[in-house]
Amino acid sequence: MWNKVGMGRNEKGLTEAIAEIAQLKEDFYKEVYVPGSADELNPELEKVLRVADFIELGQLMAMDALQRKESCGGHFREEYQDAEGETLRDDENFKFVGAWEYKGDDISKEELHKEELVYEEIKIAARNYK
Amino acid sequence: MSAAKNININLKIWRQKNASSKGSMETYKLDNVSTASSFLEMLDQLNEQLVNEKKEPVAFDHDCREGICGMCSLYINGRAHGPDTGITTCQLHMRMFNDGDTIYIEPWRSKAFPVIKDLVVDRSAFDRIQQAGGFVSVNTSGNTIDANSIPVPKDDADKAFMAAACIGCGACVATCKNGSAMLFVGAKVSQYALLPQGKVEATQRVLNMVRQMDEEGFGNCTNTGACEIECPKGISLENIARMNREFLKASVK
Ligand code: SF4
Ligand code: FES
């Protein structure tokens, strides 16, 4: 996550990350050892479920970063920057909030729903601190 | 401070499968514990060893690990939060122990705190007492007075602040020979009774909290003062006296 889904990310890294996480997930579900049982207080089971969530969240984050072909806020896609290395937004195609719909165990099947961002008071423009 | 070294210790830990089963003390040997580690890190190390041996790790409560949340709750060598004063279990360090020591670790023991598993007890009785205390009325008509602009005598503010330092860990109950929760309830009652904002519901609050405390099966105070000594936040017995005064005042109203 740090190396490939960090502050600066690119298509190659994100694609690799998704495959790596998928592999990690497979290994995790095959090899995880959980002491104790499910029908009593079991802090180890809690930890395992948390790790499972992190794996899923990690993969989804990478998927979302891959589809967003622009740089915006903390999401800096290295392919999308201007001559001075500043973020390059694409308001034409990515002015939306994304929500991924759960479609069962296979995370790659999840569906992206878009909620368009409509600004009435603010004029959309690139931010410039210079 | 001397440099950290590694020590080997023996542990006697209370193991109990669930609330209905009978527990017992089990013995474990743990080597190479750094004196720079915290007590809970030592337990993490033990659990790692147990997991590697495919045995069931010891369940214990913890959250912030910095003395503010009140989750950690261990009776160590016969003392709530272990052999140091003014600290919670998570703030206890292994440098308090020596090579070859045998350390006894038990859960809080009190009728109102049933054991859920191993060293974890159910302290929801405390939540119910707090809930019984109810709310504080605030004017939300748009003329809400900022808390900072309500004058509070410095002495009251200090005492309320000291009472509010209670983290609800339950060491007072665990340490009390009567299993009394009066230090905890005293702190909670005092915190509001001392401040102007808490005065509106003060009468009902103290009556309801004390009633809930009794219903939960906590014992009564006999002024022993053990709770004050073991309380990690130094909550003073004065708070119990204040609760009793508030209770008496409310009862004759
Ligand atoms: S009064 Fe002290 S010992 Fe009792 S619950 Fe509060 S902080 Fe813990
Ligand atoms: S773990 Fe939070 S006070 Fe000890």
Side-chain angles (χ1 to χ4, degrees):
Chain A
M1 292 300 288
W2 184 254
N3 293 333
K4 293 177 178 170
V5 199
M7 275 164 278
R9 56 269 295 256
N10 56 50
E11 186 171 345
K12 181 169 169 283
L14 289 168
T15 314
E16 284 168 8
I18 292 169
E20 282 169 37
I21 299 169
Q23 183 59 48
L24 193 70
K25 185 175 172 185
E26 204 185 308
D27 295 349
F28 175 77
Y29 279 92
K30 240 189 265 162
E31 283 164 33
V32 69
Y33 164 67
V34 193
S37 77
D39 37 50
E40 60 193 20
L41 177 82
N42 189 345
E44 302 310 307
L45 182 60
E46 274 170 44
K47 288 178 207 161
V48 167
L49 293 173
R50 244 179 275 165
V51 173
D53 278 350
F54 287 148
I55 293 177
E56 229 169 89
L57 183 66
Q59 183 162 352
L60 198 60
M61 236 163 154
M63 284 163 58
D64 193 66
L66 183 63
Q67 69 78 27
R68 194 168 276 272
K69 294 189 168 63
E70 64 161 355
S71 290
C72 178
H75 165 74
F76 187 75
R77 279 286 297 263
E78 284 153 5
E79 305 93 317
Y80 308 100
Q81 50 179 301
D82 66 15
E84 290 178 324
E86 297 287 331
T87 55
L88 208 59
R89 268 201 342 240
D90 177 357
D91 292 332
E92 192 95 340
N93 295 308
F94 293 98
K95 210 170 69 190
F96 64 82
V97 178
W100 292 84
E101 187 185 342
Y102 180 71
K103 293 266 178 179
D105 274 349
D106 186 358
I107 196 166
S108 64
K109 297 243 155 40
E110 294 203 4
E111 192 188 326
L112 175 65
H113 296 274
K114 300 174 182 179
E115 187 190 320
E116 287 299 324
L117 288 169
V118 184
Y119 295 96
E120 283 161 3
E121 306 291 336
I122 307 166
K123 202 173 128 295
I124 312 258
R127 211 175 278 181
N128 189 349
Y129 294 106
K130 284 181 190 154
Chain B
M1 209 169 66
S2 59
K5 56 174 195 267
N6 281 359
I7 56 173
N8 300 336
I9 51 172
N10 299 302
L11 299 164
K12 302 252 182 207
I13 302 180
W14 182 261
R15 301 302 308 259
Q16 183 172 336
K17 201 169 161 41
N18 52 42
S20 51
S21 64
K22 223 172 135 229
S24 63
M25 292 299 266
E26 299 287 328
T27 309
Y28 302 93
K29 214 176 132 28
L30 190 61
D31 290 342
N32 291 317
V33 178
S34 166
T35 51
S37 66
S38 75
F39 196 81
L40 296 187
E41 280 166 341
M42 178 277 288
L43 285 180
D44 292 337
Q45 191 178 332
L46 170 71
N47 278 348
E48 209 172 304
Q49 178 176 312
L50 291 175
V51 170
N52 287 336
E53 291 167 359
K54 300 265 184 229
K55 290 187 187 141
E56 220 181 299
V58 182
F60 62 94
D61 263 333
H62 58 97
D63 191 18
C64 71
R65 297 204 181 202
E66 53 179 351
I68 51 173
C69 73
M71 271 305 273
C72 60
S73 47
L74 298 177
Y75 219 72
I76 304 158
N77 286 346
R79 288 187 64 186
H81 292 308
D84 207 344
T85 41
I87 57 150
T88 53
T89 298
C90 59
Q91 293 170 301
L92 180 66
H93 278 85
M94 290 311 293
R95 55 176 174 265
M96 295 292 292
F97 300 92
N98 298 310
D99 192 43
D101 273 3
T102 298
I103 307 172
Y104 290 80
I105 313 173
E106 296 166 82
W108 282 174
R109 294 208 185 278
S110 164
K111 199 177 114 205
F113 288 163
V115 173
I116 299 172
K117 184 180 184 168
D118 298 338
L119 303 170
V120 178
V121 298
D122 180 356
R123 282 170 287 179
S124 55
F126 268 15
D127 298 341
R128 289 186 292 273
I129 295 174
Q130 297 241 66
Q131 282 154 9
F135 49 83
V136 168
S137 285
V138 184
N139 182 346
T140 54
S141 66
N143 299 320
T144 311
I145 307 167
D146 185 76
N148 288 324
S149 57
I150 304 171
V152 180
K154 173 83 172 109
D155 195 39
D156 287 355
D158 286 349
K159 284 187 178 139
F161 186 82
M162 304 273 273
C166 165
I167 53 174
C169 63
C172 44
V173 176
T175 234
C176 177
K177 64 184 195 297
N178 308 319
S180 168
M182 286 181 101
L183 195 64
F184 165 77
V185 185
K188 298 300 168 199
V189 166
S190 291
Q191 178 188 338
Y192 295 107
L194 284 160
L195 297 174
Q197 290 95 328
K199 293 266 191 313
V200 190
E201 287 89 9
T203 308
Q204 270 316 305
R205 180 179 309 114
V206 67
L207 293 176
N208 289 342
M209 288 181 92
V210 170
R211 180 187 35 79
Q212 190 66 35
M213 171 180 88
D214 291 340
E215 270 171 25
E216 297 290 350
F218 291 105
N220 280 316
C221 176
T222 48
N223 281 322
T224 306
C227 53
E228 187 180 30
I229 293 168
E230 294 298 2
C231 171
K233 298 296 155 185
I235 301 293
S236 153
L237 282 185
E238 200 185 291
N239 291 290
I240 298 185
R242 188 176 300 101
M243 171 176 72
N244 287 338
R245 279 202 303 277
E246 290 288 322
F247 184 77
L248 192 67
K249 250 192 337 201
S251 312
V252 296
K253 250 191 191 161

